[in-house]
Amino acid sequence: MANQASAGDLLQLVRTGSATTRGDLQRVTGLSRATVGQRLDRLFRAGWLREGDAAPSAPSPQGGRPSVRLEFDDRHALVLAADLETRHSRAAALSLTGDVLAETSWPLLLSEGPEHVLGELGARFARLLKDAGLDPAAVCGIGVAVPGPVDSASGTLVDPPIMSGWGGFDLSGRLARAFAEASGAAGFAGGGGAGRAGGGAAVPVPVLVENDANLMAYGEQRTGWPECRAFVLVKVSTGIGAGVVVDGAVYRGVDGGAGDIGHIRVPAGEGLDCMCGAQGCLAAVASGRALAARLRAAGVPAASGSDVRALLAEGHPEAAGLARQAGRQVGEVLATVVTLLNPGVLMIAGDLAGTPFLTGVRELLYQRALPRCTAHLDVVTSRLGDRAALVGAAHLVVEHLYAPGRAEERLTALGV
């Protein structure tokens, strides 16, 4: 990085805590004091940096007063995030450091199709901002979690098993238009929010779409386990999916299909139809949908994974027994996952993530996996709960927008 560090590179060093004073930036980058000052000036003018208290370390290299600590200013913009589930949706406005500023949820059927659902989401975002007294012009990006495999390059869903009609649809473009129409935001300014970039034409607010389990894993890892180099989260709700974070980045595979463990064939599923069109999938045996069907057959009213969740919260004995058995079935698959990835944390999340299910997972996991693979493994449940995907979406948007190369493009667009 020596003598080539851009303003975006300096921002990255400050954001990650790798260098938080002017002197630190000089030492790390090899840039002169004047060049560091010029590049920091661009960041200050954009409103992306602020000065904090004096660094506790010691005086500046040139002597005199102690160096002032540089901080990423998370108040200059905000992020919108949504978590779309099969029968329910949640949306939030968050700070650039992932703090929830306003939040809402409502029933919404993904079966109604992307045109309707994304139009409704754009309107909900606009209403959320208005009710919270937040300026739509402050929105710098939108992140959306969906329950299906996503091709990150195109931002489209790839043959989603439980989202018929959504495959290949331009989610980003439709949601950007819906939000602009509902909020009156002209577009993305590249800095603090909507408007016109560099005095030119308005640019739509960037929309990033990602698999929900991936975003849950990313949110949980970033906020609770930042030092964990291999992190796996398994979401068990209507379907079953896993998110994997390796060395601080979401692992997606070649086209977004990594972690789709709900469609691994298992002996217990023989003859059972899955929503993907195949038979014998893990999701057909151990998902919230599968447990709800079993409970209905036993005379217990349950239409979805969320109904099973409510029964588990009430301590319903039959629901608890089925959840424990489902945990054992998932645990058998996870023994292979743990052996392959050797994670430091295995997190269970979603509608079934309670004591009965977790007990079942642990029973089979520790029985089937090699002790070498579980010796340093923490098996835990979600810390962020229903907010995990929202927080993960916000972090994903921020990492995208403030990455060094992208940050340079945005600074140029701002004319600073």
Side-chain angles (χ1 to χ4, degrees):
M1 185 183 293
N3 298 317
Q4 298 178 354
S6 66
D9 290 316
L10 267 57
L11 178 68
Q12 182 81 348
L13 290 168
V14 173
R15 286 184 56 240
T16 59
S18 301
T20 57
T21 67
R22 288 171 174 81
D24 290 341
L25 292 171
Q26 288 175 238
R27 286 190 293 274
V28 171
T29 65
L31 296 175
S32 68
R33 180 180 182 184
T35 303
V36 167
Q38 290 168 357
R39 293 180 183 174
L40 288 178
D41 184 57
R42 297 179 69 200
L43 299 172
F44 281 116
R45 283 188 284 142
W48 297 0
L49 283 187
R50 65 184 176 216
E51 291 187 340
D53 298 329
S57 50
S60 68
Q62 290 75 32
R65 63 179 184 175
S67 300
V68 173
R69 185 184 298 278
L70 302 171
E71 300 173 350
F72 179 59
D73 191 342
D74 66 338
R75 299 170 299 186
H76 74 268
L78 57 87
V79 176
L80 293 175
D83 183 10
L84 303 182
E85 299 188 358
T86 53
R87 302 165 61 92
H88 180 269
S89 296
R90 185 180 299 273
L94 301 97
S95 74
L96 298 182
T97 48
D99 296 323
V100 175
L101 307 175
E103 188 175 4
T104 187
S105 62
W106 69 100
L108 186 66
L109 298 177
L110 292 186
S111 59
E112 294 181 336
E115 192 72 36
H116 170 78
V117 169
L118 297 172
E120 171 70 12
L121 178 56
R124 290 277 179 170
F125 275 145
R127 193 177 315 161
L128 176 69
L129 293 171
K130 181 178 180 181
D131 292 346
L134 299 171
D135 185 359
V139 176
C140 67
I142 299 174
V144 182
V146 293
V150 175
D151 178 1
S152 59
S154 64
T156 58
L157 282 150
V158 182
D159 299 325
I162 62 175
M163 297 177 71
S164 178
W166 287 72
F169 188 87
D170 180 15
L171 278 68
S172 299
R174 175 67 182 105
L175 181 54
R177 291 192 301 273
F179 174 65
E181 292 165 2
S183 66
F188 177 58
R196 297 189 178 274
V203 180
V205 173
V207 177
L208 301 185
V209 182
E210 183 57 86
N211 172 262
D212 55 357
N214 283 349
L215 288 181
M216 291 173 71
Y218 196 53
E220 296 278 8
Q221 189 270 340
R222 289 296 301 270
T223 58
W225 307 86
E227 303 305 318
C228 181
R229 295 184 56 195
F231 182 100
V232 176
L233 178 143
V234 179
K235 180 187 179 184
V236 188
S237 290
T238 299
I240 301 175
V244 180
V245 179
V246 177
D247 289 334
V250 174
Y251 179 75
R252 300 178 177 89
V254 295
D255 65 359
D260 205 4
I261 65 170
H263 301 288
I264 292 174
R265 306 290 176 83
V266 294
E270 185 175 351
L272 296 177
D273 294 329
C274 181
M275 287 193 69
C276 71
Q279 288 190 333
C281 296
L282 179 64
V285 178
S287 66
R289 183 190 296 273
L291 267 60
R294 289 203 190 107
L295 287 167
R296 287 197 304 274
V300 180
S304 65
S306 58
D307 291 335
V308 178
R309 178 180 186 171
L311 290 168
L312 290 171
E314 294 168 5
H316 191 282
E318 192 154 0
L322 287 173
R324 182 166 179 170
Q325 178 60 27
R328 289 172 60 85
Q329 290 157 339
V330 173
E332 188 165 6
V333 171
L334 290 179
T336 300
V337 172
V338 166
T339 302
L340 179 65
L341 296 178
N342 189 210
V345 175
L346 173 63
M347 179 173 283
I348 307 299
D351 289 332
L352 303 191
T355 300
F357 187 88
L358 188 64
T359 299
V361 167
R362 284 176 167 152
E363 285 175 358
L364 258 291
L365 175 63
Y366 288 108
Q367 184 182 116
R368 299 295 173 86
L370 291 172
R372 166 72 179 79
C373 297
T374 57
H376 303 288
L377 176 69
D378 289 323
V379 182
V380 299
T381 53
S382 172
R383 291 184 176 182
L384 296 176
D386 291 337
R387 288 180 166 178
L390 299 175
V391 173
H395 280 295
L396 191 75
V397 169
V398 171
E399 290 304 316
H400 169 74
L401 291 178
Y402 295 93
R406 179 65 174 148
E408 277 298 308
E409 294 174 3
R410 296 174 61 213
L411 289 170
T412 300
L414 283 170
V416 298

